Amino acid sequence: MKPAAKQYFKDLLIGIGLYIVILISTNIAIKVWELSIEVKTLMAFSCAAPALLVIRAVLKFSTTWDELQRKKALEATLISFLLVGMGTFTYGFMEMIGFPHLPMVWVFPILYMTQSLAMIYVTRKYQ
């Protein structure tokens, strides 16, 4: 494994680990203690700090990619952006006619999963 990839996984694991710890702690605190809505809001936003570490790790790692890797990542990201964007936009209209509500919390995991699948497709295309 290349040194840049090792550093990426280390930075990613730290960000994800902190995210999980803060997310679980926040959920427990909100359920156990009676907190004001302002404190609950601040606690909900506290989960964003480790997410910024993950974003930093991904962006830092992307600077080590060669031109082909960047092209594949861009194409996969565009595919997922358009599929998920148009899909959730369309589903928003479907909710107005009675389809079940899709919580916003699921949009990012769907986007991430779609980008991963698109990356497999794009990688095969360039082989």
Side-chain angles (χ1 to χ4, degrees), residues 24-126:
I24 291 171
S25 303
T26 300
N27 280 323
I28 291 171
I30 287 174
K31 287 180 183 174
V32 172
W33 296 316
E34 288 190 29
L35 303 169
S36 68
I37 189 70
E38 294 84 9
V39 173
K40 288 180 181 177
T41 303
L42 285 174
M43 292 179 82
F45 274 110
S46 68
C47 295
L52 293 174
L53 292 175
V54 172
I55 291 169
R56 181 177 162 258
V58 171
L59 293 176
K60 185 177 168 185
F61 183 54
S62 71
T63 62
T64 65
W65 297 346
D66 63 25
E67 194 172 315
L68 179 60
Q69 288 174 311
R70 287 180 187 212
K71 185 175 182 175
K72 290 189 294 188
L74 175 64
E75 194 170 325
T77 303
L78 281 173
I79 290 170
S80 65
F81 168 77
L82 293 170
L83 284 175
V84 174
M86 293 304 291
T88 53
F89 186 71
T90 302
Y91 195 80
F93 286 113
M94 293 167 65
E95 283 182 347
M96 291 181 205
I97 61 170
F99 277 73
H101 175 66
L102 175 67
M104 292 290 292
V105 73
W106 289 107
V107 173
F108 183 72
I110 292 170
L111 182 65
Y112 192 78
M113 184 182 70
T114 305
Q115 201 271 347
S116 298
L117 293 174
M119 191 63 164
I120 292 169
Y121 165 74
V122 171
T123 299
R124 286 186 180 173
K125 186 175 128 182
Y126 283 101

